[in-house]
C-alpha cells in the first residue's frame, strides 16, 4: 500500500531534549515536505526536499532541522524543543511537477513540549 | 504571497442538506486541490482542478475552478455524517512543488 509513515504518533517531551520525528515513504517520490498544523493558523511548511541531499527552508523553519540522505526518508529534528513547538506535525510527499500533483500525507505526530 | 481564503470557517448542517463552500484568492493559480482531513489523520486528496471553468464530480461532491483561476467551490449534495471533516484547499506557489493551504472549513453533518 502506497503510504507515508510517521513515527511516533504522539510524543510528550521536556524543553531542550533533542528529538527526531521519522518519516518514510514507499512511493519513490522525489519531493518531501514537513508541515505543522496549529489552530487558527492552518498548515504551514517547515522544510522541504526536492531530492536526495537537496533541502530548503519553508515558511517556519526556525528551531528545526532536516536531512535527506535516502530518497525514502526525511526525518525532522528538533535540537532543543521549546513549548512553542507544541503542534501537530505532518510529513508529505509527491512525485513533483510544480505542485500540481497531489500530496500524500502521513497520519501526523502530535508533539507536546512541556 | 499567494493566499487562499476559505469560507465559511465553520458549518453545521443536518443530514440530507446541500451546501457550498468556497476557496478564494486575489492571485491566479495554475491549479487548485481540495483535501479532506478527519480528526487524528492527515489530509487526503479529493481532487485537483487545472483548467479555468473546470467542473469535477466525485460522487455527491462537485468541484469547480473559477474561470479566472482565482477561486474554487465545493458543493455537496445530500450531505451525510460521513462528510464531516476539515476541508482544505491548496494551490502551488513557487517552482518547487510547494503547496500553500487555506485555513480550512470545518464541516459537521448531524444525523
Amino acid at each position: 500500500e502506497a503510504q507515508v509513515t510517521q513515527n511516533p504518533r504522539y510524543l510528550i517531551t521536556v524543553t531542550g531534549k533533542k528529538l527526531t520525528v521519522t518519516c518514510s515513504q514507499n512511493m519513490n517520490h522525489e519531493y518531501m515536505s514537513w508541515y505543522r498544523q496549529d489552530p487558527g493558523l492552518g498548515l504551514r511548511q517547515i522544510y522541504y526536499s526536492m531530492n536526495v541531499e537537496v533541502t530548503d527552508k519553508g515558511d517556519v523553519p526556525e528551531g528545526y532541522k532536516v536531512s535527506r540522505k535516502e530518497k525514502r526518508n526525511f526525518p525532522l529534528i528538533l535540537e532543543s524543543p521549546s513549548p512553542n513547538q507544541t503542534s501537530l506535525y505532518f510529513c508529505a510527499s509527491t512525485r513533483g511537477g510544480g505542485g500540481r500533483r497531489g500530496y500524500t500525507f502521513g497520519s501526523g505526530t502530535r508533539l507536546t513540549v512541556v | 504571497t499567494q493566499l487562499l481564503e476559505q469560507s465559511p470557517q465553520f458549518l453545521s448542517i443536518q443530514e440530507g442538506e446541500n451546501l457550498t463552500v468556497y476557496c478564494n484568492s486575489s492571485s491566479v493559480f495554475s491549479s487548485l486541490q481540495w483535501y479532506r482531513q478527519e480528526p487524528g489523520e492527515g489530509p487526503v486528496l479529493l481532487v485537483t482542478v487545472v483548467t479555468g471553468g473546470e467542473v469535477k464530480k466525485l460522487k455527491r461532491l462537485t468541484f469547480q475552478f473559477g474561470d479566472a483561476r482565482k477561486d474554487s467551490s465545493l458543493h455537496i449534495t445530500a450531505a451525510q455524517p460521513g462528510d464531516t471533516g476539515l476541508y482544505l484547499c491548496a494551490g502551488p506557489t513557487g517552482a518547487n512543488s510547494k503547496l500553500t493551504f487555506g485555513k480550512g472549513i470545518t464541516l459537521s453533518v448531524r444525523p
Side-chain angles (χ1 to χ4, degrees), chain B residues 22-34:
Chain B
Y22 302 92
C23 173
N24 295 304
S25 176
S26 58
S27 303
V28 175
F29 281 85
S30 59
S31 63
L32 282 178
Q33 300 172 12
W34 285 90

Side-chain angles (χ1 to χ4, degrees), chain B residues 49-56 63-69 71:
Chain B
V49 285
V50 177
T51 306
E54 181 178 8
V55 175
K56 280 193 173 178
F63 304 85
Q64 183 159 10
F65 200 11
D67 291 340
R69 292 186 286 124
D71 54 82

Side-chain angles (χ1 to χ4, degrees), chain B residues 4 9 14 16 22 24 31 54 67 73 81 83 97-99 105 108-109:
Chain B
L4 289 165
Q9 192 175 356
Q14 201 73 31
Y22 302 92
N24 295 304
S31 63
E54 181 178 8
D67 291 340
S73 64
D83 295 326
S97 292
K98 176 183 177 179
L99 276 186
I105 295 161
S108 174
V109 182

